[in-house]
């Protein structure tokens, strides 16, 4: 442990103690009425795990969702795709059942990606799956119905950036090879996209929220995001608005997302925004290296890496939104389905230390992360230590936790404790080790002890 870390831990534990005390005090009062928005945010933070779906006419080419831009396909050429889109094997029930088996609590699906093609039935354009494909049905409607039936929330991904719409002008940083005319009325484009947001908030029953992307293509444009968020909150008071703009959250946004990085990390290069203090967080991640179906990308992450992503996100107070890219026929690639089922089995046994938790009072450590379940009726606060490194045999936690009981998840024998100059050392016996993540539940007595600064 570095010299600086113990102090940080002591302070975080103080916050945890204060929160636990506040929770106890709240439990003794009548519960104040919670707004639909606050309830939705709390639900979202409890949910922890979602399934992202990137599906569009680009899937036909099997080269990811950026193929129009990357291969410089003009609109006139790209327009030949919708007449070929006929996902005869698409079964919304099967997708949702798979999602449920994986342990996900919500699905976020692309309703329109940067290519501008709408995967739902829009009255504002003919460039949509019902009007322009032989399939002729609305897969988003089928998915919404299946989600409602099986108790999975549905979020809509919507690209603000549009490489096809004639009024998306002036062009932004991308989509310069579409061959469209160099003119357009931006205000008309805003009216178009806000009209589509209205459709999405009106035609599919209760939704979890809207997930915007592509703002970064034209960061100086007049998007009227405040107006957009108002439409969402007026039409669906329990829906959350989020925007993948890679900068600090704007007013009206209900959660903050990070793409291909956990909050606080920036391997992608554009995750420079700090995690907002008060907003729920979400990290979206590809399962291989692609969002949309990529026939040549077999570089799938291992189940262990995916468990570590889920737990790593939870330990940083974030959900994991894990992506699949269905094939053009509507089926989910076998490699992806296998991993989802692995995660489901793992969560079946270990979900207690993930669902409904918040980031733990001990920040990410070289050995792993912590999550926490605040005190509630019938149980004292619990801190879960997720030991993600297989070769770690002991962990040191703040000495203030000395009176706690530390049990491996599902085990019966408390861990050996020893006070050391660095803090309270817990020794992990070999028979307490679990695959991917050795979880130790630290039951903190109530009242939570005052944090004692760690000795140096
Ligand atoms: O939908 C998936 C991707 O297609 C989409 N977001 C996920 C969820 C995505 N679009 N672009 N990117 C991901 C990469 C972003 C690159 C950026 Fe830039 C770097 C945006 C801003 C800086 C490249 C350079 C694009 C604009 C300027």
């Amino acid at each position: 442990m570095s010299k600086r870390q113990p102090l940080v831990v002591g302070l975080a534990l103080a916050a945890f103690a204060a929160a636990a005390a506040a929770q106890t005090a709240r439990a003794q009062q009548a519960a104040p009425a919670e707004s639909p928005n606050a309830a939705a945010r709390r639900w979202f933070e409890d949910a922890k795990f979602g399934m992202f779906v990137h599906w569009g006419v680009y899937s036909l080419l099997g080269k990811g969702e950026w193929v129009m831009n990357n291969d410089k396909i003009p609109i006139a050429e790209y327009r030949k795709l919708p007449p070929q889109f006929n996902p005869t094997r698409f079964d919304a029930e099967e997708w949702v059942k798979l999602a449920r088996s994986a342990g996900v609590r919500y699905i976020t699906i692309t309703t329109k990606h940067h290519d501008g093609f709408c995967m739902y039935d829009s009255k504002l354009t003919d460039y949509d799956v019902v009007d322009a494909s032989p399939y002729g049905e609305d897969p988003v409607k089928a998915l919404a119905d299946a989600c409602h039936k099986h108790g999975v929330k549905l979020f809509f991904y919507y690209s603000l950036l549009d490489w096809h719409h004639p009024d998306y002008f002036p062009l932004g940083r991308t989509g310069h090879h579409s061959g469209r005319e160099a003119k357009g009325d931006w205000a008309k484009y805003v009216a178009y996209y806000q009209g589509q947001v209205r459709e999405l908030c009106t035609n599919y029953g209760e939704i979890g929220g809207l997930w915007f992307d592509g703002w970064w293509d034209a960061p100086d444009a007049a998007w009227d995001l405040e107006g957009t968020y108002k439409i969402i909150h007026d039409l669906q008071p329990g829906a959350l608005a989020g925007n993948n703009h890679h900068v600090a959250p704007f007013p009206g946004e209900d959660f903050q997302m990070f793409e291909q990085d956990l909050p606080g990390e920036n391997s992608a290069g554009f995750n420079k925004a700090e995690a907002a203090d008060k907003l729920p967080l979400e990290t979206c991640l590809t399962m291989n290296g692609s969002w949309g179906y990529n026939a040549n990308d077999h570089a799938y992450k291992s189940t262990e890496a995916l468990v570590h992503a889920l737990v790593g996100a939870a330990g940083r107070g974030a959900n994991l939104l894990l992506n699949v890219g269905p094939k053009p026929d509507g089926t989910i690639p076998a490699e992806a389905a296998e991993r989802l089922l692995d995660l489901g089995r793992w969560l079946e046994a270990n979900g207690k230390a993930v669902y409904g938790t918040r980031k733990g009072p001990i920040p990410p450590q070289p050995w792993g992360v912590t999550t926490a379940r605040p005190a509630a009726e019938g149980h004292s606060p619990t801190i879960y230590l997720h030991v993600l490194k297989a070769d770690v045999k002991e962990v040191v936690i703040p000495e203030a936790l000395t009176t706690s009981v530390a049990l491996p998840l599902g085990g019966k024998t408390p861990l050996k404790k020893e006070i050391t100059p660095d803090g309270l050392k817990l020794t992990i016996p070999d028979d307490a080790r679990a695959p991917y993540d050795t979880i130790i539940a630290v039951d903190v007595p109530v009242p939570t002890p005052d944090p004692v600064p760690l000795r140096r």
Side-chain angles (χ1 to χ4, degrees):
M1 212 178 242
S2 80
K3 280 273 178 262
R4 287 182 60 82
Q5 245 159 357
L7 185 62
V8 175
V9 170
L11 291 173
L13 194 65
F16 182 70
Q23 177 106 4
T24 311
R26 268 201 305 279
Q28 286 158 358
Q29 298 165 359
E34 197 181 32
S35 73
N37 184 263
R41 290 187 188 190
R42 191 168 47 78
W43 177 90
F44 187 76
E45 286 198 283
D46 286 346
K48 285 292 176 290
F49 188 26
M51 182 171 95
F52 212 173
V53 181
H54 274 72
W55 198 37
V57 291
Y58 44 78
S59 309
L60 285 159
L61 299 176
K63 295 171 82 175
E65 76 291 351
W66 268 68
V67 62
M68 179 177 172
N69 185 84
N70 294 350
D71 286 7
K72 304 185 178 165
I73 306 174
I75 289 168
E77 195 63 27
Y78 201 83
R79 266 189 175 280
K80 294 178 184 163
L81 290 175
Q84 298 169 51
F85 188 74
N86 195 11
T88 49
R89 296 179 67 195
F90 169 64
D91 182 342
E93 283 262 326
E94 260 184 50
W95 282 17
V96 175
K97 281 183 189 157
L98 175 64
R100 284 211 57 142
S101 304
V104 316
R105 297 286 157 89
Y106 61 100
I107 294 175
T108 305
I109 185 159
T110 46
T111 55
K112 183 190 89 168
H113 207 270
H114 309 336
D115 63 358
F117 187 79
C118 300
M119 287 296 284
Y120 75 99
D121 184 15
S122 175
K123 298 296 169 228
L124 304 177
T125 180
D126 288 339
Y127 203 51
D128 73 46
V129 62
V130 172
D131 296 317
S133 85
Y135 185 58
E137 288 176 49
D138 182 343
V140 171
K141 180 71 171 68
L143 192 62
D145 291 346
C147 280
H148 290 140
K149 180 171 159 195
H150 293 286
V152 172
K153 284 215 193 214
L154 184 62
F155 285 68
F156 294 144
Y157 170 106
Y158 185 91
S159 173
L160 297 165
L161 159 60
D162 193 313
W163 294 327
H164 170 271
H165 198 281
D167 286 312
Y168 190 91
F169 189 84
L171 295 187
R173 300 176 178 183
T174 66
H176 291 217
H177 311 284
S178 64
R180 29 151 306 188
E181 283 186 69
K183 60 173 193 184
D185 180 345
W186 183 261
K188 272 197 192 161
Y189 177 71
V190 171
Y192 168 76
Y193 101 73
Q194 290 185 332
Q196 294 206 313
V197 169
R198 233 176 247 116
E199 290 183 323
L200 292 169
C201 289
T202 308
N203 298 341
Y204 298 93
E206 196 181 289
I207 59 168
L210 264 291
W211 202 110
F212 293 105
D213 199 1
W215 174 92
W216 39 258
D217 186 62
D220 299 325
W223 293 102
D224 186 26
L225 288 178
E226 281 194 40
T228 306
Y229 301 152
K230 185 170 173 353
I231 292 169
I232 296 168
H233 293 134
D234 284 351
L235 291 173
Q236 298 242 4
L240 303 176
N243 194 333
N244 185 33
H245 44 48
H246 311 146
V247 295
F250 300 148
E253 294 173 1
D254 302 302
F255 66 105
Q256 182 183 10
M257 63 273 266
F258 298 82
E259 180 174 328
Q260 302 284 43
D261 272 310
L262 297 175
E265 299 181 341
N266 184 16
S267 68
F270 47 71
N271 287 311
K272 293 178 185 144
E274 278 190 41
D277 229 12
K278 294 193 178 66
L279 290 188
L281 309 176
E282 182 191 65
T283 281
C284 60
L285 193 72
T286 51
M287 214 188 274
N288 48 12
S290 316
W291 297 102
Y293 177 58
N294 185 334
N296 292 317
D297 185 352
H298 298 287
Y300 280 84
K301 289 160 194 161
S302 65
T303 298
E304 177 169 59
L306 296 173
V307 167
H308 286 189
L310 175 61
V311 170
R316 289 166 179 81
N319 293 359
L320 179 71
L321 181 62
L322 182 60
N323 183 72
V324 298
K327 297 183 185 181
D329 69 0
T331 60
I332 292 174
E335 296 108 314
E338 261 168 45
R339 281 158 181 80
L340 287 172
L341 294 176
D342 283 349
L343 284 164
R345 278 185 287 267
W346 184 84
L347 277 163
E348 185 88 26
N350 301 287
K352 198 179 168 186
V354 178
Y355 296 123
T357 64
R358 296 295 180 267
K359 71 175 172 187
I362 303 171
Q365 300 291 310
W367 47 259
V369 298
T370 64
T371 54
R373 183 182 302 288
E377 239 169 278
H379 72 82
S380 56
T382 305
I383 301 168
Y384 297 100
L385 313 178
H386 297 262
V387 182
L388 301 175
K389 291 259 161 63
D391 55 355
V392 167
K393 297 200 184 310
E394 48 196 42
V395 294
V396 178
I397 62 175
E399 197 182 315
L401 296 167
T402 304
T403 50
S404 308
V405 178
L407 275 174
L409 201 69
K412 294 204 167 58
T413 318
L415 297 192
K416 206 183 109 209
K417 297 190 285 194
E418 188 191 338
I419 295 174
T420 72
D422 287 333
L424 182 68
K425 186 168 88 182
L426 303 176
T427 306
I428 306 166
D430 284 346
D431 61 8
R433 294 229 73 95
Y436 314 142
D437 178 9
T438 297
I439 303 173
I440 297 155
V442 179
D443 270 308
V444 182
V446 176
T448 307
D450 282 339
V452 179
L454 291 169
R455 277 191 234 133
R456 302 286 167 121

